[in-house]
Amino acid sequence: MIMIIILFFLFIFGYEWAYLKKKSRKRRTFWIVFCIMGMSFSYCIATIVFKNMPSPNTLIQFLFTPIQQKILGKVD
Amino acid sequence: MKAAQISQNQLLLFLILYFYSTLVGFSASNLIHISQYDTILVLCISGLTAGIYAYFTIKLANRRPNEFFFHYGKDIFPQWIHILFMGFYFFSFLHTSAFVLREYEDFIVQTYLGGTPNWAVGGLLGMVVAVTARSGIQTLFRTAQGLFFLILIADVSNTIFIGKELKWDRWMAFITNHSGHGIFAGTYTTIPFFGEVIVLVFIFPYLTQKNKTLKTVFWAIVLGLLLIIVNFVFLLLLFGPNLASHITYPMLEMVRYIRIADFIENLDPFLISIWSTTVYLKISLLFFLSVQILAQFFRLKDHRPLTFSLAAVMVALSLQMSGGSAALTSFYTNSWATYSYFIEGIPILYLLMDTLKRFIKKRSAKNNKGM
């Protein structure tokens, strides 16, 4: 699975590099695009390596379930 | 960022499919469970509330029709609050697209592609969504326009063929069986589906003939509701509320009832084509909006170079967001609606603040004149 992710990111790295070069974008754009790509890559790998990573759903449920239960009562 | 052109006709057809997509496909069982025969009433009230949402959203967008919400929002709220709200929206759109993608993955894997890993289904659909978002919003709306009639034909054929299987004597229950709590709880959980009409505030600069938008949205709500209500009435007439609420995908079971002339015994592909297309359109719009917000935040010339990176995040998030279908359903039934109200209420907050600011400005100008 990790190999597939690495291959995918290698492909999009090359693709976006060619796109930005062709459009002669500023150095700043290169930095932003590849930093976001780096973060995206890290997140994808982290979801594989750390299986029990907390998900945003847990936070949303923690914040909003009590409010919803107060409004609606317990719906089973 | 260059403003594309979306015609009112494209907006109308897109919104009908948007409203129809997940409500009928993935939420029918839960809604029928809560509201039973009141489901139709619940849908009508929710549609009405969507009209109110749309009115306020369009009122806000109409004040600066050619500017993007991301850009003019900081004139209404202080910049840091505005950026915080935009951060919420960025996350919320990405999260909702991942959520719908996960529902689709679970559906396909449980029903047709048993043994196929979720990441394969998510990866493929995610790739299509990324390519569509990269091509721009105009492509997305054109796609909806092109696919609308195919979807309509498939849906109408399904409903026509199922007609003879229905138990029409259940009709009376729509008039006699009511529960106040069922209507309240059902409406509470259904309004956020239609409340997603607030996406208009983000796409407003792309629209042509902006003065007709409210009328278009009104018709989209009416026609979307009609399409949804027909499906729900047929579900209730065929299965009754108890059975329908205990089936994960009641629409699928309904289609499996269709038998045509003893040789066409499986019309599932009709339904899958409808679902796949409408779900794809919904995910694509939400995903496009999150990419657009990020591109506007970094003041990039166009959003394209961010699409594949964020698509990877969307697919990973869809896989990571919950351990299984049960956890996903629990998230949906216990907290999604309230969370959505918070997100969908933000444009109304902007409108209130803007109106207040204008009022104060007008008043102080009047006072200055008087002196």
Side-chain angles (χ1 to χ4, degrees):
Chain A
M1 186 65 197
I2 289 179
M3 272 315 286
I4 296 175
I5 294 173
I6 292 171
L7 281 175
F8 173 74
F9 274 91
L10 276 177
F11 169 75
I12 63 168
F13 180 84
Y15 189 75
E16 299 303 2
W17 183 277
Y19 177 79
L20 293 173
K21 270 267 175 223
K22 193 180 154 201
K23 298 271 173 185
S24 350
R25 291 289 150 85
K26 284 185 215 153
R27 211 183 169 80
R28 177 180 171 277
T29 312
F30 276 79
W31 271 104
I32 292 168
V33 169
F34 293 117
C35 279
I36 290 172
M37 197 178 282
M39 284 193 272
S40 163
F41 176 73
S42 314
Y43 175 68
C44 291
I45 294 293
T47 55
I48 306 283
V49 178
F50 308 109
K51 292 274 181 214
N52 294 322
M53 209 166 65
S55 105
N57 282 18
T58 321
L59 178 68
I60 295 170
Q61 274 183 300
F62 172 74
L63 292 174
F64 293 101
T65 304
I67 304 174
Q68 186 156 324
Q69 276 183 356
K70 258 206 174 117
I71 295 170
L72 294 183
K74 280 215 170 202
V75 180
D76 37 43
Chain B
M1 223 172 279
K2 209 173 92 182
Q5 302 290 303
I6 299 166
S7 71
Q8 292 294 320
N9 177 268
Q10 286 170 336
L11 179 70
L12 172 78
L13 302 183
F14 182 88
L15 282 179
I16 294 173
L17 296 182
Y18 189 92
F19 292 139
Y20 176 82
S21 59
T22 42
L23 186 55
V24 173
F26 303 124
S27 310
S29 168
N30 181 53
L31 181 56
I32 292 175
H33 173 68
I34 298 172
S35 305
Q36 309 269 308
Y37 284 103
D38 286 321
T39 303
I40 311 310
L41 204 61
V42 163
L43 286 168
C44 293
I45 299 170
S46 306
L48 202 70
T49 320
I52 298 169
Y53 262 115
Y55 173 76
F56 286 124
T57 307
I58 293 168
K59 198 174 166 79
L60 173 68
N62 250 330
R63 290 185 175 174
R64 299 159 185 87
N66 297 316
E67 284 180 57
F68 283 100
F69 186 43
F70 189 93
H71 297 141
Y72 68 74
K74 56 181 176 285
D75 301 336
I76 300 174
F77 272 112
Q79 189 159 6
W80 68 272
I81 297 181
H82 175 62
I83 294 293
L84 194 74
F85 280 147
M86 288 301 111
F88 278 151
Y89 270 118
F90 165 72
F91 167 76
S92 162
F93 288 142
L94 195 65
H95 176 263
T96 313
S97 55
F99 181 73
V100 179
L101 180 63
R102 175 57 185 264
E103 281 184 314
Y104 182 76
E105 286 164 18
D106 284 348
F107 165 67
I108 288 288
V109 169
Q110 281 170 27
T111 322
Y112 292 104
L113 305 176
T116 308
N118 270 32
W119 64 261
V121 179
L124 283 175
L125 189 59
M127 195 72 184
V128 180
V129 167
V131 171
T132 311
R134 200 181 171 91
S135 318
I137 194 160
Q138 205 172 5
T139 311
L140 179 59
F141 278 76
R142 276 191 187 160
T143 314
Q145 194 179 22
L147 292 170
F148 179 81
F149 291 101
L150 290 177
I151 294 170
L152 192 70
I153 291 167
D155 191 65
V156 169
S157 339
N158 278 346
T159 39
I160 288 173
F161 290 135
I162 202 70
K164 65 181 167 62
E165 310 285 345
L166 301 179
K167 295 176 179 68
W168 293 96
D169 46 350
R170 283 200 173 114
W171 260 115
M172 200 35 115
F174 286 105
I175 299 160
T176 53
N177 292 24
H178 297 294
S179 138
H181 184 261
I183 296 174
F184 173 65
T187 311
Y188 187 84
T189 46
T190 312
I191 286 174
F193 277 102
F194 291 96
E196 284 174 4
V197 73
I198 58 125
V199 295
L200 277 173
V201 81
F202 289 92
I203 60 170
F204 208 71
Y206 294 124
L207 302 178
T208 57
Q209 297 174 295
K210 295 181 173 61
N211 54 330
K212 289 184 180 167
T213 313
L214 190 60
K215 199 174 155 192
T216 308
V217 175
F218 167 77
W219 279 112
I221 293 172
V222 170
L223 296 174
L225 263 181
L226 198 73
L227 205 62
I228 295 167
I229 285 175
V230 168
N231 281 286
F232 271 94
V233 167
F234 277 32
L235 271 180
L236 285 165
L237 288 180
L238 184 68
F239 296 125
N242 289 333
L243 182 56
S245 61
H246 285 93
I247 305 171
T248 318
Y249 305 110
M251 275 295 288
L252 183 70
E253 296 307 323
M254 183 164 89
V255 169
R256 285 180 175 167
Y257 258 74
I258 299 173
R259 299 271 182 277
I260 307 168
D262 290 336
F263 63 92
I264 301 177
E265 295 213 339
N266 191 349
L267 285 181
D268 291 10
F270 269 105
L271 191 75
I272 304 306
S273 61
I274 296 172
W275 274 355
S276 302
T277 333
T278 53
V279 161
Y280 147 74
L281 290 171
K282 183 166 185 168
I283 298 174
S284 300
L285 179 70
L286 294 170
F287 176 71
F288 172 82
L289 291 178
S290 72
V291 178
Q292 180 182 269
I293 290 173
L294 195 64
Q296 286 173 341
F297 177 74
F298 285 113
R299 284 176 280 118
L300 296 183
K301 270 187 186 161
D302 71 278
H303 67 281
R304 287 190 182 86
L306 303 178
T307 43
F308 287 123
S309 303
L310 278 188
V313 174
M314 178 183 71
V315 175
L317 186 59
S318 81
L319 299 169
Q320 186 245 336
M321 68 167 40
S322 85
S325 294
L328 206 68
T329 311
S330 153
F331 166 76
Y332 168 69
T333 50
N334 295 326
S335 51
W336 177 80
T338 311
Y339 163 66
S340 297
Y341 281 111
F342 273 82
I343 296 294
E344 290 164 8
I346 292 174
I348 297 174
L349 217 60
Y350 272 85
L351 180 69
L352 272 175
M353 191 67 176
D354 194 36
T355 311
L356 202 72
K357 269 189 160 178
R358 281 178 177 218
F359 176 72
I360 293 169
K361 220 175 170 180
K362 232 179 185 174
R363 205 165 175 182
S364 61
K366 220 175 177 181
N367 284 347
N368 286 344
K369 240 182 186 177
M371 285 206 297

